[in-house]
């Protein structure tokens, strides 16, 4: 069985995409399930969040995107300090890909994974950059599903709508198998505005919105600064975040959606 490949996306910055990738990876790791994180953001926040410092000669997501080469993803995988969590890291060089005019650019990531045996992993998570650029399209061509992360703000419905339109255009061609799996409400505060916007999102998108919202809690930043997985971080209200990411993982129903090899 090959694992499901999920793109964690939103063209808007700072909504909690990387936090969601790392939170889900942490929840899987706490269950001794192996996960591969693929950092597709030139900012490299997932890479640093996992406590990885890149060697000069490291093979990164840039190498997968800079040529068309079958199976190269296998050479880029490294272990991280987080138990059960492996990584294909990102460096700032990845930003150069947006200027590459090659015709097959958006297929390169998918090709890089072609023939690579990922059966040791329960899940592959792609951390996407905050744009609707070529890197996002490359991820959507290589993924099975999309999890949209959004804060409950005034622009959320239209922002998720833009992403939904992008997903729809990719499913028309070139990746008809791509599905819109979930919308995750992240960085939720107990304010009237956030509660109102959460209701609005649930009204528009119904069951597509995960029942579990991720609360805005300082423990998330503290754990990130300490490069520690939230399920091992003791301090503040880390338990509330642990439970939220574990519930979210359950909602994604990974095992049931594993794709046949
Ligand atoms: N649940 C949370 N509680 C508190 N802070 C959070 C939470 N989720 C994310 N943050 C903080 O918000 C900021 C943005 O989060 P994150 O980096 O995950 O967003 P992003 O969507 O990946 O951003 P970008 O678009 O720049 O990649 C970070 O400082 C992060 O630590
Ligand atoms: Mg990010």
């Amino acid at each position: 069985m090959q694992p499901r490949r999920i793109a964690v996306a939103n063209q808007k910055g700072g909504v909690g995409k990387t936090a969601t990738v790392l939170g889900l990876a942490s929840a899987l790791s706490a269950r001794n399930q192996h996960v591969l994180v693929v950092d597709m953001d030139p900012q490299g926040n997932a890479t640093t969040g996992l406590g990885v410092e890149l060697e000069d000669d490291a093979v990164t997501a840039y190498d997968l995107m800079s040529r068309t080469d079958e199976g190269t993803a296998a050479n880029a995988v490294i272990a991280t300090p987080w138990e059960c969590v492996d990584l294909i890291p990102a460096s700032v060089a990845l930003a150069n890909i947006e200027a590459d005019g090659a015709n097959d650019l958006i297929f390169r990531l998918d090709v890089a994974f072609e023939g690579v045996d990922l059966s040791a992993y329960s899940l592959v998570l792609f951390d996407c950059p905050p744009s609707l650029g070529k890197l996002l399209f490359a991820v959507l061509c290589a993924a099975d599903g999309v999890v949209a992360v959004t804060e409950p703000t005034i622009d959320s419905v239209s922002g998720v709508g833009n992403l939904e339109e992008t997903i729809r255009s990719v499913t028309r061609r070139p990746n008809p198998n791509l599905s819109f799996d979930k919308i995750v409400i992240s960085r939720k505060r107990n304010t009237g505005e956030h509660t109102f916007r959460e209701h609005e999102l649930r009204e528009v998108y119904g069951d597509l919105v995960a029942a579990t919202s991720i609360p805005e809690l300082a423990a998330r930043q503290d754990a990130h600064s300490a490069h520690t997985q939230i399920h091992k971080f003791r301090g503040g209200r880390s338990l509330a975040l642990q439970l939220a990411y574990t519930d979210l993982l359950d909602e994604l129903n990974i095992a049931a959606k594993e794709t046949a090899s």
Side-chain angles (χ1 to χ4, degrees), residues 72 128 159 168 213 222:
T72 47
C128 296
R168 208 173 293 136
S213 301
D222 296 342

Side-chain angles (χ1 to χ4, degrees), residues 41-233:
D41 184 352
Q43 299 177 99
N45 296 146
T47 300
T48 47
L50 286 165
V52 169
E53 274 182 44
L54 284 186
E55 309 279 337
D56 287 343
D57 59 352
V59 181
T60 67
Y62 171 77
D63 297 286
L64 310 190
M65 288 299 301
S66 58
R67 63 189 79 92
T68 309
D69 215 347
E70 204 175 300
T72 47
N75 308 329
V77 175
I78 53 172
T80 75
W82 292 19
E83 234 166 278
C84 300
V85 182
D86 286 349
L87 171 73
I88 293 180
S91 64
V92 283
L94 192 55
N96 299 325
I97 294 299
E98 293 292 347
D100 188 327
N103 286 338
D104 70 342
L105 191 89
I106 63 166
F107 301 110
R108 284 182 176 170
L109 187 62
D110 192 39
V111 172
F113 275 93
E114 216 163 278
V116 177
D117 181 11
L118 300 167
S119 57
Y121 299 109
S122 298
L123 187 64
V124 177
L125 288 166
F126 294 95
D127 191 17
C128 296
S131 79
L132 291 174
K134 292 175 188 170
L135 286 171
L136 176 67
F137 276 87
V139 175
L140 297 183
C141 288
D144 303 306
V146 181
V147 167
V149 178
T150 184
E151 285 180 272
T153 59
I154 188 164
D155 302 320
S156 302
V157 169
S158 63
V160 173
N162 288 339
L163 181 60
E164 190 181 27
E165 188 47 48
T166 303
I167 295 167
R168 208 173 293 136
S169 77
V170 173
T171 53
R172 274 196 288 271
R173 192 178 301 114
N175 185 2
N177 298 323
L178 185 69
S179 73
F180 194 174
D181 289 352
K182 278 285 171 219
I183 298 165
V184 176
I185 297 174
S186 154
R187 308 192 62 181
K188 164 88 191 337
R189 293 192 298 275
N190 281 327
T191 62
E193 171 66 6
H194 271 203
T195 305
F196 177 78
R197 297 300 171 189
E198 176 169 5
H199 282 147
E200 192 174 57
L201 275 159
R202 292 187 187 283
E203 229 168 70
V204 175
Y205 290 102
D207 288 347
L208 197 53
V209 182
T212 311
S213 301
I214 308 297
E216 167 103 356
L217 292 171
R220 150 67 205 166
Q221 269 125 336
D222 296 342
H224 193 64
S225 308
H227 309 308
T228 303
Q229 59 198 84
I230 196 71
H231 289 74
K232 286 198 171 162
F233 186 77

